[in-house]
Amino acid sequence: MERCGSNLNNGISFAVDATMKGKIDMNKWINGSLRYNATNPRYFTDDSGKSIYLAGSHTWAVMQDMWLEPQPRKNMGYDAFLQMLVDHGHNFLRYWQWMQTKHAAWSETPILFDPQPYARTGPGTANDGEPKFDLSKWNEPYFFRLRERVRQAGDRGIYVAIMLFEGWSIKNSSTAQESSWGYCPMNPANNINSITDDVTIRNGRPWNFFSMNCPQILQWQKAYVKKVIETVNDLDNVLYEICNEMPHTKEALEWQTHICDYVHEVERSMPRQHPVGITPEGTCQDTEELYATNADWISPSCGPVFEYRCNPPAADGRKVIINDTDHIWGHGGEVAWIWKNFTRGINVIFMDPWEPIAGGNQRKSWLDRNVSKNSRYYYAWDPLRRNLGYTVELARRMDLNACIPRNELCTSTYCLANPGYEYVIFLPAGGTEGVDLRGEKCTYEIEWLNPHTGITTNGGGITEEEWRNTVPEMTVVGGKRYLIHAPFEGPAVLYLRRREITG
């Protein structure tokens, strides 16, 4: 072991292995890196050949500590967060990284972000009063923390989508010193690297940062991307996300596509290749623009008529879709929404205030009457956490390689099925719906899940058409159409699985 320096912004020293390659002990659920799944391209696959469904919570301070100035520095408790994911059965984490040392558009009180990827060598003082950055020299403890935290998640069976750039803060910034861009290490005022690119566009915002119009900055961006890849390439649980909610401009989408190509290019000659994702500018971007990119996975915005919020279109396999509450609600989500996505072949993640975002209680749009949604214990959040885990558990019992959305087989239209073998049907309001099991005359075991309680019930709830001839208690025979009746109040999930003949 050797001592690889200290973070000059907080005086914390880190003991770092010289190669930064610690012991890798990936969980039993991770069998090699994720890759394209030709059998069912709605999901990724791995060395097992199975479809891998992804679902989980993500929160903001997983990489950098975030705290209000002048309060004491705050560490979120990363191990406890990972344990929460494990306890709820999640297998996916979106890994935020912030690009400023200070300031956030959602807070009137200054927020501090640390560590950062670059060494603070000076000469000169940056806008935050600390020594200027040298973009050619890495702050190795930053990358040690990145690698260790991604590895720790993998040891618990959790895939990590590493966010390479964070666009929302810069997008909502001005070019003034007191702004997120004003405290970004790549701002020429904050480094010693003689950058002359102009990031400002005609609206006075620093949006050229996300474009091909700043060639010097682009080279520094790519150097950082390459360093991240070199740090985590040997880990199987890695995905990449180019940028969170960049500006909605053709220049920004061109830039994202270029960086996506660059990630693929760098990894092509390395031991592992990992999926790369492009996500939307927020709630309004046309998802077809994302489908047209070179990304391996995408997250949609709400869509023209809020369809990805209210009635998600069935995934068709053009890309793996990871629907994220961040781009649909911001602070929000619904249990029904999780199951609607699951039965439409879509992966699901939740922006979770498990660690409340620093300064978030100042934002009026995050209030429910007088109660802040920026709270670990807001009443709506735990049901979301639990149901994300229920979908992961169910997905692992299924042969997702053979299951596709089959809206036409159930009157609720929420049906993921391999006819003749298994069906998952969601009833958003419970009650009675119709299901078509005429595909094959075989016996199915009946299992109901109550999303509110997590309790499963075997058998019951199915009758033949026109309420005649109640089916046997534990099974139903295919070859007919049936009425299904939720055996409890509220939303319901029905799982029908073909009974295997033994003996």
Side-chain angles (χ1 to χ4, degrees), residues 201-401:
I201 65 172
R202 57 182 176 273
N203 68 359
R205 306 258 180 166
W207 288 7
N208 262 342
F209 184 81
F210 307 102
S211 77
M212 307 294 288
N213 299 327
C214 294
Q216 294 171 322
I217 288 177
L218 179 63
Q219 292 310 306
W220 291 119
Q221 290 169 335
K222 290 167 75 171
Y224 162 71
V225 169
K226 187 171 186 288
K227 175 64 172 176
V228 170
I229 294 171
E230 291 171 343
T231 300
V232 299
N233 175 262
D234 63 324
L235 302 179
D236 285 328
N237 64 318
V238 169
L239 303 85
Y240 299 106
E241 175 186 356
I242 301 300
C243 185
N244 172 60
E245 298 196 357
M246 62 169 189
H248 188 196
T249 65
K250 63 180 179 59
E251 291 84 2
L253 190 59
E254 179 187 17
W255 172 83
Q256 282 213 92
T257 301
H258 179 79
I259 299 296
C260 185
D261 278 338
Y262 182 69
V263 175
H264 287 141
E265 175 188 335
V266 171
E267 286 207 314
R268 195 170 294 124
S269 60
M270 300 183 77
R272 288 169 172 78
Q273 293 74 47
H274 302 95
V276 186
I278 291 181
T279 55
E281 59 80 29
T283 63
C284 300
Q285 188 168 8
D286 185 349
T287 303
E288 290 300 320
E289 294 181 5
L290 304 179
Y291 274 125
T293 69
N294 55 348
D296 303 303
W297 62 273
I298 62 172
S299 290
S301 65
C302 284
V305 292
F306 294 92
E307 62 269 25
Y308 279 99
R309 175 167 172 169
C310 302
N311 184 22
D316 59 14
R318 284 183 288 167
K319 304 278 189 189
V320 172
I321 301 175
I322 302 176
N323 207 354
D324 186 348
T325 60
D326 180 20
H327 315 303
I328 305 299
W329 276 276
H331 273 49
E334 298 171 351
V335 167
W337 179 82
I338 293 172
W339 288 101
K340 288 177 180 180
N341 280 281
F342 181 74
T343 52
R344 295 283 170 83
I346 297 173
N347 306 269
V348 193
I349 58 176
F350 165 48
M351 189 170 74
D352 188 343
W354 188 89
E355 175 67 22
I357 194 167
N361 291 341
Q362 300 175 17
R363 196 171 177 87
K364 292 182 180 179
S365 63
W366 294 351
L367 290 176
D368 178 358
R369 293 178 288 274
N370 293 322
V371 178
S372 175
K373 298 178 182 179
N374 187 45
S375 168
R376 181 182 303 183
Y377 303 110
Y378 179 67
Y379 77 95
W381 299 156
D382 196 58
L384 292 174
R385 296 174 187 131
R386 288 188 289 104
N387 277 271
L388 288 168
Y390 299 159
T391 60
V392 172
E393 180 182 3
L394 182 54
R396 286 173 174 164
R397 296 170 57 194
M398 301 172 65
D399 179 9
L400 284 184
N401 275 345

Side-chain angles (χ1 to χ4, degrees), residues 14-240:
F14 297 79
V16 183
D17 184 89
T19 63
M20 294 180 62
K21 307 298 184 185
K23 180 177 180 291
I24 302 173
D25 185 21
M26 292 287 138
N27 184 279
K28 67 177 181 178
W29 295 114
I30 295 177
N31 299 287
S33 302
L34 294 178
R35 66 201 67 158
Y36 176 75
N37 182 359
T39 305
N40 191 347
R42 296 164 185 81
Y43 310 99
F44 291 118
T45 190
D46 61 9
D47 291 349
S48 71
K50 298 177 181 178
S51 287
I52 309 299
Y53 166 77
L54 302 171
S57 287
H58 60 95
T59 197
W60 302 277
V62 287
M63 178 61 205
Q64 285 129 322
D65 300 336
M66 301 168 58
W67 71 102
L68 293 173
E69 189 179 53
Q71 295 179 6
R73 184 184 184 117
K74 183 179 182 182
N75 187 303
M76 69 166 280
Y78 183 70
D79 287 344
F81 179 66
L82 291 183
Q83 189 59 51
M84 184 277 289
L85 299 182
V86 171
D87 290 344
H88 286 82
H90 299 185
N91 71 346
F92 186 89
L93 165 61
R94 186 180 183 219
Y95 196 85
W96 289 76
Q97 298 192 87
W98 299 90
M99 301 174 59
Q100 69 268 29
T101 63
K102 184 177 178 180
H103 191 275
W106 64 81
S107 174
E108 296 178 1
T109 304
I111 298 175
L112 303 178
F113 301 81
D114 192 72
Q116 294 290 328
Y118 306 103
R120 306 197 79 148
T121 63
T125 302
N127 285 339
D128 62 2
E130 298 288 339
K132 287 188 174 184
F133 293 96
D134 183 346
L135 303 184
S136 69
K137 295 183 179 179
W138 303 116
N139 177 23
E140 293 293 351
Y142 179 93
F143 295 96
F144 178 77
R145 175 184 279 199
L146 170 65
R147 176 182 172 79
E148 281 302 291
R149 292 191 171 187
V150 173
R151 184 192 60 78
Q152 289 167 15
D155 289 347
R156 293 163 172 83
I158 299 166
Y159 293 96
V160 177
I162 299 172
M163 184 186 296
L164 297 173
F165 299 94
E166 200 290 301
W168 188 91
S169 295
I170 305 297
K171 177 177 70 175
N172 289 287
S173 178
S174 69
T175 54
Q177 176 176 330
E178 290 299 321
S179 68
S180 297
W181 170 246
Y183 295 105
C184 177
M186 289 191 187
N187 186 318
N190 297 323
N191 62 68
I192 64 170
N193 302 99
S194 303
I195 294 173
T196 58
D197 289 336
D198 183 5
V199 300
T200 311
I201 65 172
R202 57 182 176 273
N203 68 359
R205 306 258 180 166
W207 288 7
N208 262 342
F209 184 81
F210 307 102
S211 77
M212 307 294 288
N213 299 327
C214 294
Q216 294 171 322
I217 288 177
L218 179 63
Q219 292 310 306
W220 291 119
Q221 290 169 335
K222 290 167 75 171
Y224 162 71
V225 169
K226 187 171 186 288
K227 175 64 172 176
V228 170
I229 294 171
E230 291 171 343
T231 300
V232 299
N233 175 262
D234 63 324
L235 302 179
D236 285 328
N237 64 318
V238 169
L239 303 85
Y240 299 106

